[in-house]
Structures are given as C-alpha cells and as structure tokens.
Amino acid sequence: MSTEYPHPGYSAIAAETEDAKRSRKGRTGIGIGLLVVGALAAFGMVWLYTQYGSLIGTLSESERAEVVTFDALNVLFILSLLVGGIWNIAARRSKSLAPPIAALALSGIGLALAITNLLDTLNTAGMRPNFVALFLYLGILVQTIRLIRGR
C-alpha cells in the first residue's frame, strides 16, 4: 500500500474557495451595514422634519437657504449610502475592489461627519450625544479595511 499525498493544486483550490467565502461574507456584511446606516439616517431626517418642520417658516431667507442646502447634501449622502450598500451586496461574488473602496470612502466620510456632530452636540447643546452612528461607521470602516487588506 502506498500513502497518498495531496496534490499541490488541490490546496490552492481549497484556499481560493475559503478566500472567496470570506470575501462574500465581508461584502455582504458591509452592504447590510451601509443599508442599515442609510435607513437610520433617512428615518432620523424624517423624524426631525416631523418635529421641527413647522419652524422653517420662521427662519430668514439666508437661514432657510442654509437649511435647504444642508438637507439636500444629507439626502445625497443617504442615497449614496443606500446605493453603496446595494452595490456591495450585488457584487459580493466579484473580485472587483471598487465596491469595498466606495464603502471605505462612504464610511470614512460618515465617520468624520459623526465625529463633527458629536463635538458640535457637546459644545452647543451640552447634551449627551448619540454614539450609535459613530460606532456603526467605525465598524463598517474596520470591516472594509479588513476585507481590502485580506486580498
């Protein structure tokens, strides 16, 4: 009887499938994370309008223009989060690095905006800030970096 040794090509195939599985799970997690953050941001924006929408009529023209500009940029960012999440989920079986890099950029921008919001809330209102968005963006950022570096 002879001892069978594994063929070197078989281990390469097994390693590729393990990497592909990890990449697929990572991209799915990133996509779901971006969708959750985008949905929470959209919900927060709608909630703010139901609470403070009637006060827009009391603002001056310049203040109203500032609010409209901020809201338009916020809507664009929410849409980009949702599109980035859908793109990462749809491209989870591809080898392209474009969706994770877009997620990296979006989560980095979101993290910077969350830190700015945190500092602004502490300085102006003296209230306890909301850390949920900060931790969600940080988690997506770490997961994206791990996925990109794992290649």
Short mmCIF file of all heavy atoms in Angstrom, two decimals, residues 81-112:
data_model
loop_
_atom_site.label_atom_id
_atom_site.label_comp_id
_atom_site.label_asym_id
_atom_site.label_seq_id
_atom_site.Cartn_x
_atom_site.Cartn_y
_atom_site.Cartn_z
N LEU A 81 -25.19 56.17 0.54
CA LEU A 81 -25.05 55.05 1.46
C LEU A 81 -25.89 53.86 1.00
O LEU A 81 -25.43 52.72 0.99
CB LEU A 81 -25.48 55.46 2.87
CG LEU A 81 -24.53 56.31 3.67
CD1 LEU A 81 -25.20 56.78 4.95
CD2 LEU A 81 -23.24 55.59 3.98
N LEU A 82 -27.13 54.13 0.61
CA LEU A 82 -28.02 53.06 0.17
C LEU A 82 -27.51 52.42 -1.12
O LEU A 82 -27.50 51.19 -1.25
CB LEU A 82 -29.44 53.60 -0.01
CG LEU A 82 -30.13 54.06 1.28
CD1 LEU A 82 -31.47 54.71 0.96
CD2 LEU A 82 -30.28 52.93 2.26
N VAL A 83 -27.06 53.23 -2.07
CA VAL A 83 -26.53 52.70 -3.33
C VAL A 83 -25.24 51.91 -3.08
O VAL A 83 -25.03 50.84 -3.66
CB VAL A 83 -26.30 53.84 -4.35
CG1 VAL A 83 -25.49 53.37 -5.54
CG2 VAL A 83 -27.64 54.39 -4.82
N GLY A 84 -24.38 52.42 -2.20
CA GLY A 84 -23.16 51.68 -1.86
C GLY A 84 -23.45 50.34 -1.21
O GLY A 84 -22.79 49.34 -1.48
N GLY A 85 -24.46 50.30 -0.35
CA GLY A 85 -24.85 49.04 0.28
C GLY A 85 -25.39 48.04 -0.74
O GLY A 85 -25.03 46.86 -0.73
N ILE A 86 -26.26 48.51 -1.62
CA ILE A 86 -26.81 47.64 -2.67
C ILE A 86 -25.69 47.15 -3.59
O ILE A 86 -25.66 45.99 -3.98
CB ILE A 86 -27.91 48.38 -3.44
CG1 ILE A 86 -29.13 48.60 -2.54
CG2 ILE A 86 -28.32 47.61 -4.70
CD1 ILE A 86 -30.16 49.55 -3.11
N TRP A 87 -24.76 48.04 -3.93
CA TRP A 87 -23.66 47.68 -4.83
C TRP A 87 -22.77 46.61 -4.20
O TRP A 87 -22.36 45.66 -4.86
CB TRP A 87 -22.87 48.92 -5.16
CG TRP A 87 -21.83 48.76 -6.23
CD1 TRP A 87 -21.77 47.79 -7.19
CD2 TRP A 87 -20.72 49.61 -6.46
NE1 TRP A 87 -20.67 47.99 -7.99
CE2 TRP A 87 -20.02 49.10 -7.57
CE3 TRP A 87 -20.25 50.75 -5.84
CZ2 TRP A 87 -18.87 49.69 -8.05
CZ3 TRP A 87 -19.11 51.35 -6.33
CH2 TRP A 87 -18.43 50.82 -7.43
N ASN A 88 -22.47 46.75 -2.90
CA ASN A 88 -21.64 45.74 -2.24
C ASN A 88 -22.35 44.40 -2.14
O ASN A 88 -21.71 43.36 -2.29
CB ASN A 88 -21.23 46.22 -0.85
CG ASN A 88 -19.96 47.01 -0.88
OD1 ASN A 88 -18.89 46.45 -1.02
ND2 ASN A 88 -20.08 48.33 -0.80
N ILE A 89 -23.64 44.40 -1.92
CA ILE A 89 -24.38 43.14 -1.87
C ILE A 89 -24.48 42.52 -3.26
O ILE A 89 -24.29 41.32 -3.43
CB ILE A 89 -25.77 43.35 -1.25
CG1 ILE A 89 -25.62 43.67 0.23
CG2 ILE A 89 -26.65 42.13 -1.45
CD1 ILE A 89 -26.90 44.06 0.92
N ALA A 90 -24.74 43.34 -4.28
CA ALA A 90 -24.89 42.82 -5.64
C ALA A 90 -23.56 42.29 -6.19
O ALA A 90 -23.55 41.34 -6.97
CB ALA A 90 -25.44 43.90 -6.56
N ALA A 91 -22.45 42.90 -5.78
CA ALA A 91 -21.14 42.50 -6.31
C ALA A 91 -20.38 41.62 -5.34
O ALA A 91 -19.15 41.56 -5.39
CB ALA A 91 -20.33 43.75 -6.63
N ARG A 92 -21.07 40.90 -4.48
CA ARG A 92 -20.36 40.12 -3.47
C ARG A 92 -19.61 38.93 -4.05
O ARG A 92 -18.72 38.42 -3.43
CB ARG A 92 -21.32 39.67 -2.37
CG ARG A 92 -22.37 38.71 -2.82
CD ARG A 92 -23.28 38.34 -1.66
NE ARG A 92 -24.29 37.43 -2.12
CZ ARG A 92 -25.57 37.69 -2.16
NH1 ARG A 92 -26.00 38.85 -1.73
NH2 ARG A 92 -26.42 36.81 -2.59
N ARG A 93 -19.96 38.48 -5.24
CA ARG A 93 -19.25 37.35 -5.85
C ARG A 93 -18.15 37.81 -6.82
O ARG A 93 -17.44 36.97 -7.35
CB ARG A 93 -20.24 36.46 -6.59
CG ARG A 93 -21.21 35.77 -5.65
CD ARG A 93 -22.03 34.76 -6.40
NE ARG A 93 -23.07 34.20 -5.57
CZ ARG A 93 -22.92 33.13 -4.80
NH1 ARG A 93 -21.76 32.52 -4.76
NH2 ARG A 93 -23.91 32.69 -4.07
N SER A 94 -18.02 39.10 -7.04
CA SER A 94 -17.00 39.57 -7.97
C SER A 94 -15.67 39.77 -7.24
O SER A 94 -15.61 39.74 -6.01
CB SER A 94 -17.43 40.88 -8.62
OG SER A 94 -17.30 41.94 -7.70
N LYS A 95 -14.63 39.97 -8.01
CA LYS A 95 -13.31 40.20 -7.43
C LYS A 95 -12.92 41.66 -7.50
O LYS A 95 -11.80 42.03 -7.14
CB LYS A 95 -12.26 39.36 -8.16
CG LYS A 95 -12.46 37.89 -7.94
CD LYS A 95 -11.38 37.08 -8.61
CE LYS A 95 -11.63 35.61 -8.35
NZ LYS A 95 -10.56 34.78 -8.88
N SER A 96 -13.84 42.51 -7.95
CA SER A 96 -13.57 43.93 -8.09
C SER A 96 -13.41 44.59 -6.71
O SER A 96 -14.14 44.27 -5.77
CB SER A 96 -14.72 44.59 -8.84
OG SER A 96 -14.55 45.99 -8.85
N LEU A 97 -12.46 45.49 -6.61
CA LEU A 97 -12.25 46.21 -5.37
C LEU A 97 -13.03 47.53 -5.33
O LEU A 97 -13.01 48.21 -4.31
CB LEU A 97 -10.76 46.51 -5.18
CG LEU A 97 -9.92 45.36 -4.67
CD1 LEU A 97 -8.46 45.77 -4.59
CD2 LEU A 97 -10.41 44.90 -3.33
N ALA A 98 -13.71 47.89 -6.40
CA ALA A 98 -14.42 49.17 -6.44
C ALA A 98 -15.52 49.26 -5.38
O ALA A 98 -15.60 50.29 -4.69
CB ALA A 98 -14.97 49.42 -7.84
N PRO A 99 -16.40 48.26 -5.21
CA PRO A 99 -17.43 48.41 -4.17
C PRO A 99 -16.88 48.54 -2.75
O PRO A 99 -17.33 49.42 -2.01
CB PRO A 99 -18.28 47.14 -4.33
CG PRO A 99 -18.06 46.69 -5.72
CD PRO A 99 -16.65 47.07 -6.05
N PRO A 100 -15.89 47.73 -2.34
CA PRO A 100 -15.36 47.95 -0.99
C PRO A 100 -14.64 49.29 -0.83
O PRO A 100 -14.70 49.89 0.24
CB PRO A 100 -14.38 46.79 -0.78
CG PRO A 100 -14.80 45.75 -1.72
CD PRO A 100 -15.38 46.47 -2.89
N ILE A 101 -13.99 49.77 -1.88
CA ILE A 101 -13.31 51.06 -1.78
C ILE A 101 -14.34 52.18 -1.68
O ILE A 101 -14.16 53.14 -0.92
CB ILE A 101 -12.34 51.26 -2.96
CG1 ILE A 101 -11.14 50.33 -2.76
CG2 ILE A 101 -11.89 52.71 -3.07
CD1 ILE A 101 -10.15 50.34 -3.89
N ALA A 102 -15.46 52.06 -2.41
CA ALA A 102 -16.54 53.04 -2.27
C ALA A 102 -17.11 52.99 -0.86
O ALA A 102 -17.40 54.04 -0.27
CB ALA A 102 -17.63 52.77 -3.31
N ALA A 103 -17.27 51.79 -0.30
CA ALA A 103 -17.76 51.66 1.07
C ALA A 103 -16.76 52.27 2.06
O ALA A 103 -17.16 52.88 3.06
CB ALA A 103 -18.00 50.20 1.40
N LEU A 104 -15.47 52.10 1.78
CA LEU A 104 -14.44 52.70 2.63
C LEU A 104 -14.55 54.22 2.62
O LEU A 104 -14.50 54.86 3.67
CB LEU A 104 -13.06 52.24 2.17
CG LEU A 104 -11.86 52.74 2.96
CD1 LEU A 104 -11.84 52.09 4.34
CD2 LEU A 104 -10.58 52.42 2.21
N ALA A 105 -14.73 54.80 1.44
CA ALA A 105 -14.86 56.25 1.33
C ALA A 105 -16.13 56.73 2.03
O ALA A 105 -16.11 57.73 2.77
CB ALA A 105 -14.87 56.66 -0.14
N LEU A 106 -17.25 56.05 1.80
CA LEU A 106 -18.51 56.46 2.42
C LEU A 106 -18.46 56.34 3.94
O LEU A 106 -18.92 57.23 4.65
CB LEU A 106 -19.66 55.62 1.88
CG LEU A 106 -20.10 55.90 0.45
CD1 LEU A 106 -21.10 54.87 -0.02
CD2 LEU A 106 -20.68 57.30 0.35
N SER A 107 -17.89 55.25 4.44
CA SER A 107 -17.83 55.10 5.90
C SER A 107 -16.83 56.08 6.51
O SER A 107 -17.04 56.56 7.62
CB SER A 107 -17.49 53.67 6.28
OG SER A 107 -16.25 53.28 5.73
N GLY A 108 -15.77 56.41 5.79
CA GLY A 108 -14.83 57.42 6.28
C GLY A 108 -15.47 58.80 6.35
O GLY A 108 -15.30 59.53 7.34
N ILE A 109 -16.21 59.16 5.31
CA ILE A 109 -16.93 60.44 5.32
C ILE A 109 -17.98 60.44 6.43
O ILE A 109 -18.12 61.42 7.18
CB ILE A 109 -17.58 60.71 3.95
CG1 ILE A 109 -16.51 60.97 2.90
CG2 ILE A 109 -18.55 61.88 4.01
CD1 ILE A 109 -17.02 60.98 1.48
N GLY A 110 -18.71 59.34 6.56
CA GLY A 110 -19.72 59.24 7.61
C GLY A 110 -19.12 59.32 9.00
O GLY A 110 -19.69 59.95 9.90
N LEU A 111 -17.96 58.69 9.20
CA LEU A 111 -17.29 58.74 10.49
C LEU A 111 -16.84 60.16 10.81
O LEU A 111 -17.02 60.64 11.94
CB LEU A 111 -16.10 57.78 10.51
CG LEU A 111 -15.34 57.66 11.82
CD1 LEU A 111 -16.25 57.07 12.90
CD2 LEU A 111 -14.11 56.80 11.64
N ALA A 112 -16.29 60.86 9.82
CA ALA A 112 -15.89 62.25 10.03
C ALA A 112 -17.09 63.13 10.37
O ALA A 112 -17.02 63.98 11.27
CB ALA A 112 -15.17 62.78 8.79
#
